[in-house]
Structures are given as structure tokens and as C-alpha cells.
Amino acid sequence: MKQAKPLIIFIAAVALVVFIYVWGFCRIYVAPGEMAVIISKTGKPLPPGQILAGPGQKGIRAEVLGEGRHFRDPILFQREIHKVVPIPPGKVGILTAKVGANLPEGEFLASKNQKGIRRSVLGPGKYRLNPYGYRIDVVDAISIPIGYAGVITSLSGRQSSEGGFAGANEKGVRRDILQPGLYYVNPKQYKTDIVEIGVNQVSMLGKAGVQLSSKTQLDTKNVAMQRLQSNALEQQKQKRWNYLSKTVSQALSRSSDYDVRQQQQALAQAEKQYLESDSATAMVLPQYVEFPSRDGFQISLDMSVEIEMLPSDIAGIFSRYGDLPAVLDKIIIPQITSIARNKGSEYGAKDFIVGEGREKFQTELTKALATTLGKKKIIVHNALIRHVEVPDEIRQPIQQASIAVEQNLTNLEKQNTAKKLAQLNTEITLIEQRKQQVAQETEKIKAEIKADQEKQVAEIKAEAIKKVAEIAKETAGIDADTVRILAVAEADAMKMVEGEKAKGLQLKIAAYGDPVAYNMKELADKLKKDVKINIIHTGEGTLWTDLEKANAGELGGAVIMRKNQKK
């Protein structure tokens, strides 16, 4: 027993030391929102090119430890605490794998177990991926505002056929588009261009440039969605300026009014004006619609054209021409200027000032634009002439002639107005007379109506009094009949009740045989229930002595005396 006690103490001491070592030195606590990377100090060396170690290998372990309490021997393992990667709503994570098999030649997007940028993206959430083996880049999700469509261009795969849409695993513009909403798309795999759809207005304003007035974007109550849409439109505007700047630079370089330094200043001013404007397609490039009239005068127009691009056609338009500024520059503006010149040359300068000729030119221009642009899937609803610039030598005579005509028309209208005024005064006088007549007739009719009403009221009142008297008479007769009937009914009822009582009494007497028996029965019924009867036998000369023996109070009842007879 004495030998076992030191052994127990030794075992307890060893257990205590082990507990202190494990709990104090081997314990790893990973807090919420963190992860632990484990580095093995022992094992086989990693092969060339391998980054993360597996079981039995020396180096950074592929698996990380999540939140909670873990135990690793510090002699064998080293640990590093890292933050998890959060992806908030409205964001996506682009995952780049540093481990895995190499990609095939010509491919830059990786699938599972391949090295490179992964095709699939990470949605909102928290991710614990080993930072030595993976990198997560958090970017905005694709947000398509209301009134826009997202044209998708696939960046990976084999090249699609020329003039066609990209299919599965092909590179190029896809037929399907993104409707308004939020999409978690890999921007490395797909490029998304936001293009206006529906009815828009293209305005050619001469020195003010070309502007596209889009429909008002609908606001959303979701703050995050509103921020994403604003960011998407700002990115769209910046990408469009990259195209517009080339167009503006080319136009400025062709102008003899600017040297190189002035061109640079004009280009910087144009960029500032464009980026600060509300419209993402306002082209600061001056554009004119100019043509000679039929009689040889130079005509300049400011005009607006209402166009519409359907969602089903937007991908094809984008594939053939590019983004909306390119569509304006390559298709819409050249067609407007060309058709306006051809149609405008058929009209004289006066036609653009006088309303009928201008309206006819506008109608023909709209029809021609609708036919030409309709073949390119661009719908034209209307072409509106905003302002016409005509040379002074033709405009002034026409204006003076028009002013003279208008002055003559004004004088004629003044005469007509005077005539109408005289007629109006006459009509006013007649109206006043008629008004007085109507007032008199009205008073007469009112008096007649009042008399008739009073007569009807008197007749109704007399009839009512008569009806009341008749009703009172009928009521009195009914009351008298009621009293008589009630008295007869009460007498009959009493006669019947008393008669039946007498019949009942006769039946009872008959049941007992004679009236004396019935009377005795009635007398017996009326005696008290506790009455007692004592029969006392007396002899001759013993009445009084026998009475003394009887206690009438104790008997509480009648005493019947019977004289004893001798046998």
C-alpha cells in the first residue's frame, strides 16, 4: 500500500504537466471572423511547384482551421491567424487559384482543380480560403438599371463565326441580354455593356453638338442597388468617352481654326463638359445639317429624331456597330444628315419658313429615315425640325412679306372684332330684356304655385280631420263591443266553473252512499293527525272514579266512556 502511493502521485503529476502543456501551449483559439493557417515543421519536403502541403508533408497545410478551439503541438506545427474574406451583398468575389493543374494553351479561365482565375464567382458571404493558395478580389456585381439592357460579350472560348452571335464556349457577343436587375457574373469571363433601350431622342444642335435624351431612370428604394446602378452608369460614361474622344480629336484636327495646343485645350474642355453632363451620350462634337435649297440658298437645321431600339434587337445592333455613341456616329447621324440633304434640296428656301412646306419636309424626312434605319433594326417615330437658319437676303423679304400679310390679316381681324363687338352689345341688350321678362314670368309662376300649394294643403288638412273623426267613432264602437264581450265571457266562465264544482260534489256524495257518510269523511279529514282516542270501560257507580284514572291532558284527545256489561 505504501509502495502504490508514490506511483499515484507520479501519475497525477505527469497528468497535470500534460494538461498544462496541452491547454497552455497546444491550444489554438480562432475568434469569429478569423481563420488559422497551420504550417507543418516536419514531414517530406514539397515537390517543385507545389505551394500547399498535404498530410505527411512539410510546409503550409492546405486546410485552414475555422472558428473555435483547436489543439496543435507547437513543436510540430506553427500557426498564423488571418481574417476571413467577407463579400457583402451586391458584390462578387473573383477567385484566383495559385494551386492546381496548369491551364490548356489558349485558355485563361480555370475550372475546379486548375490554376488560374476561376470561372465561377463567389457570392455574398464569408469565405475561409488559404491565402497562400487562393486570392479573392471583391468587385461590384453587374447592375442593369431600369430602361437599359446588358449586352454580354463572352471573353473566353473559340472565336465565333463572323457576323454571328457567340454560342456556348465561344468568344463574341451573345444573343441573350441581361434585363434590369442584379447579376453575379464573372467580369473576367463576360464583358457587360449597358445600352439604352426604348424610345430616345437624338438632337443635332449645331455648335451645341449632338445629344441623346434618354428616358428618366426610375429610382429604387434600395440604397445598395441605387449605388450599384450609379457606379454602372459612371463606368458606362467613362467607356463612352474613350470612343468619343477619338471622334472629337479627329474633328478638331481637321479644323483649320485650332492649332495643336488649342486642340488639346478644346479636347480637355469637351471631356470635362461630357463627364459633368447628365446625359451619357452627349457628343460635344459640333454637327450641322446643311444643304443648298432648290433655289441655291444655304439652309441649316437643328432637329431632333425620336428613335427606339427594342431589347430583342439590341444585341445585334451592338454586335454590328458597337455601343450607342458608335451607333450615333456610324449610322444615325450620317443617315440624318444624308437624307436631310437629299430631301431638303427639293424644297425652296421659302418652304422652310412657311409652315406648310416645312411640315411637308418634316413628314417626308420622317418617312425616309424610318425606312432606312428600320432596315438596321432602329425604329424612327418622328423627325422634328427645331430651328431653321436661312440666309438674311432671302429670310428678310419673306419675313417682311409675311409680316405684311399678317398685318393685313390683323386689320381684317380687328374689323371683324369690331363687328362682333357691336353684335355682342346688341345681344347683351336683348339678353337684359329677356332677363326681365323671365323674372316677371318667374314671379307669376311662383305666385300661382304658392296659391295652388295652399289650396292643396287646406284640402289635405280637412280630409285628415274627417278621417280622424271616423277613426274615433269606429274606435268607440270597438271599445263598447270589447266591454260587453268580456262581461259575457266572465259570466259564462263563472257559471261553468261553479256548475262543475256542484257536479263534482254530487259525484263524491254518490260515491259514499249517503250525505251522512260523506259528512263524516269530511269531518275526519279536518281532524288533526295527532288526535288519540281512549275507550274507558266503566261499571255501575264507577264513572267518577274511573274518570280520575284518566288524564285527559296526557291523552290529548277524546275520551269515550263505555259501560261494562255483566256477562
Side-chain angles (χ1 to χ4, degrees):
M1 189 69 182
K2 293 182 178 180
Q3 295 177 353
K5 187 174 181 180
L7 179 60
I8 294 173
I9 295 175
F10 175 76
I11 293 174
V14 170
L16 179 61
V17 171
V18 171
F19 173 78
I20 293 174
Y21 180 76
V22 171
W23 187 260
F25 297 94
C26 299
R27 180 169 57 91
I28 303 173
Y29 176 71
V30 181
E34 296 180 346
M35 60 182 172
V37 177
I38 302 301
I39 303 173
S40 178
K41 299 179 181 179
T42 60
K44 296 179 181 179
L46 296 179
Q50 183 176 344
I51 298 176
L52 301 180
Q57 291 181 322
K58 181 180 180 180
I60 302 171
R61 288 288 181 89
E63 183 182 2
V64 297
L65 302 180
E67 300 173 358
R69 189 179 295 113
H70 308 273
F71 296 91
R72 294 293 186 275
D73 192 335
I75 298 175
L76 303 177
F77 300 97
Q78 180 183 348
R79 70 269 189 127
E80 293 180 359
I81 302 298
H82 295 264
K83 296 288 186 181
V84 300
V85 179
I87 300 179
K91 300 282 187 177
V92 294
I94 302 176
L95 180 62
T96 302
K98 303 176 186 179
V99 296
N102 293 326
L103 295 175
E105 185 177 356
E107 186 59 71
F108 68 93
L109 293 178
S111 300
K112 190 176 181 181
N113 300 325
Q114 287 184 330
K115 184 188 302 182
I117 300 173
R118 292 284 176 86
R119 291 180 180 274
S120 59
V121 295
L122 304 178
K126 292 183 178 180
Y127 295 89
R128 295 179 178 84
L129 295 175
N130 196 319
Y132 291 97
Y134 302 92
R135 186 181 79 246
I136 300 176
D137 297 313
V138 180
V139 298
D140 286 340
I142 301 299
S143 177
I144 309 298
I146 297 175
Y148 296 80
V151 179
I152 306 170
T153 303
S154 179
L155 304 177
S156 65
R158 62 181 182 276
Q159 185 62 45
S160 61
S161 59
E162 186 176 357
F165 290 103
N169 300 322
E170 287 186 340
K171 184 188 303 183
V173 178
R174 296 173 62 97
R175 181 186 298 274
D176 53 322
I177 62 173
L178 300 180
Q179 299 292 342
L182 186 65
Y183 299 88
Y184 294 99
V185 178
N186 191 340
K188 303 293 183 180
Q189 183 180 7
Y190 299 106
K191 180 172 73 75
T192 304
D193 291 276
I194 301 175
V195 183
E196 291 84 347
I197 57 175
V199 178
N200 298 289
Q201 188 180 79
V202 180
S203 299
M204 302 181 64
L205 306 177
K207 293 181 180 180
V210 177
Q211 293 183 353
L212 180 83
S213 301
S214 301
K215 60 182 67 63
T216 303
Q217 181 185 344
L218 298 179
D219 293 332
T220 174
K221 299 294 184 181
N222 191 318
V223 178
M225 283 292 295
Q226 192 172 15
R227 180 184 59 80
L228 288 174
Q229 291 178 3
S230 298
N231 292 343
L233 294 177
E234 286 299 323
Q235 294 174 6
Q236 175 208 50
K237 181 182 284 190
Q238 188 61 53
K239 286 193 297 185
R240 288 179 173 179
W241 173 250
N242 295 335
Y243 175 86
L244 294 175
S245 61
K246 298 178 183 178
T247 308
V248 176
S249 298
Q250 293 172 0
L252 292 175
S253 63
R254 292 194 298 268
S255 176
S256 59
D257 298 335
Y258 297 93
D259 56 21
V260 176
R261 185 177 61 82
Q262 290 175 329
Q263 290 177 9
Q264 293 176 349
Q265 293 177 351
L267 182 62
Q269 179 65 25
E271 179 179 9
K272 182 176 183 295
Q273 179 182 347
Y274 171 77
L275 295 179
E276 291 179 354
S277 66
D278 294 333
S279 175
T281 51
M283 297 177 63
V284 293
L285 173 66
Q287 292 286 339
Y288 299 91
V289 180
E290 295 181 337
F291 52 86
S293 64
R294 185 180 56 196
D295 44 9
F297 291 98
Q298 191 69 16
I299 306 297
S300 298
L301 298 178
D302 289 349
M303 61 187 305
S304 296
V305 180
E306 292 179 351
I307 63 172
E308 181 179 6
M309 292 183 289
L310 300 177
S312 57
D313 300 325
I314 197 68
I317 296 173
F318 186 88
S319 176
R320 290 190 296 271
Y321 309 114
D323 197 5
L324 196 54
V327 176
L328 292 175
D329 186 37
K330 297 177 182 179
I331 301 299
I332 297 178
I333 294 176
Q335 290 296 334
I336 292 175
T337 54
S338 175
I339 294 175
R341 290 190 185 100
N342 294 336
K343 294 293 181 182
S345 299
E346 301 175 0
Y347 292 82
K350 183 179 179 180
D351 295 328
F352 294 98
I353 300 176
V354 180
E356 294 181 358
R358 178 170 171 173
E359 182 177 356
K360 183 179 178 182
F361 168 73
Q362 185 172 273
T363 302
E364 292 184 354
L365 179 62
T366 300
K367 185 177 180 180
L369 284 173
T371 302
T372 303
L373 294 180
K375 297 177 181 178
K376 304 180 184 302
K377 304 297 182 181
I378 300 174
I379 302 172
V380 175
H381 292 284
N382 207 351
L384 306 173
I385 307 301
R386 300 166 63 98
H387 176 70
V388 180
E389 188 68 28
V390 180
D392 292 339
E393 57 266 26
I394 185 66
R395 186 184 71 252
Q396 289 180 356
I398 294 174
Q399 286 180 342
Q400 291 175 358
S402 298
I403 291 173
V405 172
E406 293 296 331
Q407 186 65 41
N408 185 35
L409 293 175
T410 302
N411 293 333
L412 291 176
E413 288 299 325
K414 286 182 178 179
Q415 294 177 3
N416 292 332
T417 301
K419 293 179 181 179
K420 295 294 182 182
L421 184 60
Q423 294 177 359
L424 178 62
N425 292 332
T426 302
E427 293 294 334
I428 291 174
T429 303
L430 294 175
I431 289 171
E432 186 64 28
Q433 294 176 358
R434 183 60 181 166
K435 181 179 177 181
Q436 294 177 359
Q437 292 177 359
V438 170
Q440 293 175 359
E441 293 177 358
T442 302
E443 291 297 328
K444 178 182 178 182
I445 293 171
K446 287 169 63 177
E448 293 175 351
I449 292 173
K450 183 177 180 181
D452 186 62
Q453 287 178 344
E454 291 176 351
K455 177 182 177 182
Q456 292 180 4
V457 169
E459 291 176 352
I460 292 171
K461 185 175 181 181
E463 185 68 21
I465 294 172
K466 179 180 178 182
K467 291 291 184 181
V468 169
E470 292 177 354
I471 292 170
K473 179 181 179 181
E474 292 179 0
T475 303
I478 292 171
D479 291 342
D481 291 341
T482 301
V483 172
R484 179 179 58 78
I485 292 170
L486 288 176
V488 172
E490 289 178 358
D492 291 342
M494 184 179 296
K495 179 180 180 182
M496 292 176 67
V497 170
E498 294 300 326
E500 291 300 323
K501 286 182 178 181
K503 289 180 181 179
L505 182 60
Q506 291 176 359
L507 291 175
K508 288 180 181 181
I509 293 172
Y512 282 91
D514 57 26
V516 175
Y518 176 75
N519 289 333
M520 292 299 291
K521 183 262 178 187
E522 288 294 320
L523 177 61
D525 289 340
K526 292 180 179 179
L527 290 177
K528 294 183 179 180
K529 293 182 180 181
D530 55 352
V531 172
K532 295 181 181 181
I533 299 175
N534 292 332
I535 300 175
I536 303 173
H537 297 273
T538 59
E540 293 181 1
T542 61
L543 175 60
W544 301 111
T545 58
D546 291 336
L547 287 176
E548 294 178 356
K549 299 177 181 178
N551 189 346
E554 294 179 357
L555 293 177
V559 178
I560 300 176
M561 294 177 293
R562 181 178 180 183
K563 185 176 180 182
N564 292 331
Q565 297 179 0
K566 295 183 180 179
K567 293 183 181 180

